[in-house]
Amino acid sequence: MQPVLDPNPKNGQKKMLLVFGAFLAIFVIIAIVATIASP
């Protein structure tokens, strides 16, 4: 089990990039659904 606050900056940067990517993907999916749902 890895600690929540990893002292390794590479892993932290990778995790932050993954979180940012997930937020971006969710935003894109919401935008697509809103575009399809709009009349």
Side-chain angles (χ1 to χ4, degrees):
M1 290 288 293
Q2 294 233 346
V4 177
L5 293 173
D6 200 310
N8 191 353
K10 279 188 183 177
N11 193 35
Q13 193 175 16
K14 186 179 179 184
K15 184 182 279 187
M16 195 156 79
L17 191 68
L18 189 71
V19 170
F20 180 74
F23 266 81
L24 194 67
I26 291 167
F27 179 77
V28 169
I29 291 168
I30 291 171
I32 292 170
V33 170
T35 303
I36 294 170
S38 63

